[in-house]
Each structure stands twice: as C-alpha cells, then as structure tokens.
C-alpha cells in the first residue's frame, strides 16, 4: 500500500516535471523563432536582445525599361535598448543605362540612417504581436540619377508604422508609411504586406528554412502613379547566420517618375554578433 502510494506520487511529480520542461521548451523555441530574420523585401517589428549588433547586406540587381542597376549595401544595425534600434546603410551602386538615358558608372549611392522604436508588445505561448514606429532618412550622398531607392541625390524622410504577428507556424507583417521628398515631386505612400512560412520544426540552436510571400505597393502621390510588386523568396537561418534570396516582379505599374521595372533579383546575408 505504501509502495503504491509512493509510486503514484513519484509519477505525478514526473508528469509535473514533464509539463514544466515542455512549457520552457515552447517558450525557448518561441524566443528563437521570432529571431530568425526579417522578411526579405519588407520589414517586421521583431527585435533581438538589447546589445545585439548585426552586420548584413541585401544586394539587388534591378532591370528596368531605361537600364540595369545594382545596389550592394553594407548595413550595420545595433539594438541599443530592448525596444530601440539604430542602423547605418552604406550602399555601393553601379548603373548601366540604355542608350540615351544616361552615362554608365558606379560609386556611392544614397546612404540611409534607420531608427526603430517598439512601443507595443503582446507575447503569449507560441505567438507574439508587436508594433514599431520607424524612420528612414535618405541622405543625398549618391549622384542625382533618379534611380529609385538607389541613387537620387535628394534628401528624403520616410516615416512608417510596422506591425507583426508571428507564431511557430507562420508570420504576418505589415507596414504603412509615407516617404517625403521636400526637394522634388517624388512623395510616396508605401504599403508592404508579407507572409512567412517556416518549413522545419523550431529547434535550438536555430536551424530553419523560411518561405516569404511579399507584396509592396507604392503610390506617387504628387503625379498620381502606382506600382504593385510581388516578391517570392527563401531564407535559411543557421545559428547566427542567415542567407536569403528572392525574385521581385511587377504585378501592376503606371508611368512612375523613375521608370517601370522588369524584375529584381535579391541576395542577402546577415550575421548576429
């Protein structure tokens, strides 16, 4: 009788311990899952821990109706507070214009200074929802070539709200912002929507393959032109390293001030220090 009681008590303690271990594992995996890398062409409000430094790049080869252009940026991100990030983007740009549109060359493109502040966070077991305010300042360090987001030679200020809902099974991110250009007539309303689908079970250390389905809408408010882009991408995250690639295609576009696009090829990498 005593042996039976002790055995039952031991089994209850064992089952209780199993539940605790399972809960801790889920929380751990959730914490790692939300740090597996942002969408490829868009953004999301998930931040890593305070004091984290990230070196990354996202190179783009863009084919348009007036030439082919390449942008290779060095992007340095630092999370100086659990809710705040500052970043510097220094791009190298090369341009190959079609005859009659410009002179070919290469050099420094428009540098960017990025600030993000996470002002809302709601975490639950296996899922999280977050909101971030974002500012991206485009510095006129590039030539005035009117290559959209590559080399414009004008100061621009972009201000946006980014929202993200992420679980172990999928992720959704959205962004609405306005790009103000006080020196010319290229103000833009921008809307991004992205869906992420992990293909592997979450493990620690991180070993994950993500598929991304991303939409970008740009409305040139002063000239009344529109562009809708779709990007299909794949991302591989292994411990501190992330590699990614995507192809971006126009679904709809009118005559924008910077010309129409044929397609873009993107290749990225990042390393968490």
């Amino acid at each position: 009788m005593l042996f039976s009681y002790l055995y039952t008590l031991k089994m209850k303690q064992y089952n209780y311990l199993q539940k605790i271990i399972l809960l801790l594992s889920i929380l751990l995996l959730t914490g790692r899952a939300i740090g597996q890398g942002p969408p490829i062409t868009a953004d999301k409000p998930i931040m890593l821990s305070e004091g984290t430094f990230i070196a990354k790049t996202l190179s783009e080869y863009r084919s348009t109706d007036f030439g082919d252009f390449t942008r290779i940026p060095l992007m340095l991100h630092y999370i100086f507070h659990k809710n705040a990030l500052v970043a510097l983007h220094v791009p190298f740009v090369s341009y190959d214009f079609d005859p009659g549109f410009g002179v070919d060359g290469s050099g420094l493109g428009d540098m960017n200074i990025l600030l993000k502040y996470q002002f809302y966070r709601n975490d639950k077991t296996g899922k999280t929802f977050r909101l971030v305010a974002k500012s991206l300042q485009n510095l006129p360090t590039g030539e005035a070539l009117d290559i959209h987001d590559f080399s414009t030679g004008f100061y621009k200020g972009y201000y946006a709200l980014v929202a993200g809902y992420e679980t172990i099974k999928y992720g959704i991110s959205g962004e609405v912002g306005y790009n103000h250009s006080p020196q010319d007539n290229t103000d833009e309303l921008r809307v991004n929507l992205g869906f992420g689908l992990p293909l592997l079970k979450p493990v620690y250390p991180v070993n994950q393959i993500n598929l991304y389905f991303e939409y970008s809408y740009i409305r040139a408010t002063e000239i009344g032109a529109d562009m809708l882009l779709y990007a299909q991408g794949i991302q591989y995250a292994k411990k501190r390293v992330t590699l990614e690639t995507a192809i971006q295609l126009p679904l709809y576009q009118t005559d924008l001030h910077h010309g129409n696009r044929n397609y873009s090829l993107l290749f990225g990498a990042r390393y968490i220090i």
Side-chain angles (χ1 to χ4, degrees), residues 44-269:
K44 74 175 182 179
I46 308 300
M47 292 188 186
L48 301 180
S49 58
E50 182 177 344
T52 301
F53 184 84
I54 305 170
K56 59 186 297 186
T57 186
L58 182 60
S59 300
E60 178 181 352
Y61 171 80
R62 181 186 298 170
S63 173
T64 75
D65 59 3
F66 65 101
D68 299 328
F69 312 101
T70 302
R71 181 178 185 266
I72 305 174
L74 173 62
M75 308 159 77
L76 305 175
H77 290 210
Y78 179 63
I79 303 172
F80 62 91
H81 183 272
K82 65 178 182 178
N83 294 323
L85 175 151
V86 63
L88 175 66
H89 300 172
V90 182
F92 171 81
V93 174
S94 66
Y95 33 95
D96 181 12
F97 288 99
D98 290 343
F101 286 97
V103 178
D104 300 346
S106 62
L108 181 67
D110 293 338
M111 296 173 57
N112 306 130
I113 297 177
L114 171 67
L115 291 172
K116 292 170 66 175
Y117 179 72
Q118 181 180 265
F119 62 90
Y120 180 79
R121 174 174 177 171
N122 184 6
D123 294 337
K124 295 183 179 180
T125 302
K127 55 188 175 182
T128 183
F129 176 75
R130 306 186 190 187
L131 292 171
V132 158
K134 172 181 175 180
S135 167
L136 181 71
Q137 303 303 308
N138 187 85
L139 306 180
T141 54
E143 296 287 338
L145 301 175
D146 197 26
I147 306 175
H148 190 241
D149 291 337
F150 278 26
S151 186
T152 65
F154 292 109
Y155 166 79
K156 301 174 187 288
Y158 176 68
Y159 309 94
L161 179 67
V162 185
Y165 178 75
E166 192 158 332
T167 74
I168 294 177
K169 295 182 179 180
Y170 63 89
I172 304 173
S173 63
E175 178 176 344
V176 178
Y178 193 82
N179 196 31
H180 177 53
S181 183
Q183 297 174 293
D184 60 5
N185 64 338
T186 60
D187 282 16
E188 296 172 336
L189 171 67
R190 298 188 179 191
V191 180
N192 296 322
L193 180 63
F195 302 90
L197 179 65
L199 299 183
L200 304 178
K201 293 182 178 180
V203 295
Y204 179 75
V206 171
N207 183 35
Q208 185 58 266
I209 297 175
N210 302 304
L211 291 180
Y212 283 107
F213 312 85
E214 299 168 359
Y215 298 86
S216 297
Y217 172 73
I218 298 174
R219 169 73 175 180
T221 57
E222 297 185 57
I223 63 174
D226 303 88
M227 178 169 61
L228 177 62
L229 303 171
Y230 171 73
Q232 178 67 68
I234 185 169
Q235 181 185 83
Y236 176 59
K238 178 71 173 181
K239 296 183 179 179
R240 295 177 178 268
V241 177
T242 301
L243 302 174
E244 57 199 8
T245 186
I247 181 170
Q248 188 179 59
L249 302 170
L251 300 180
Y252 171 81
Q253 57 186 333
T254 54
D255 292 328
L256 294 169
H257 51 79
H258 48 75
N260 289 331
R261 302 190 192 185
N262 299 322
Y263 64 88
S264 288
L265 300 176
L266 299 107
F267 306 92

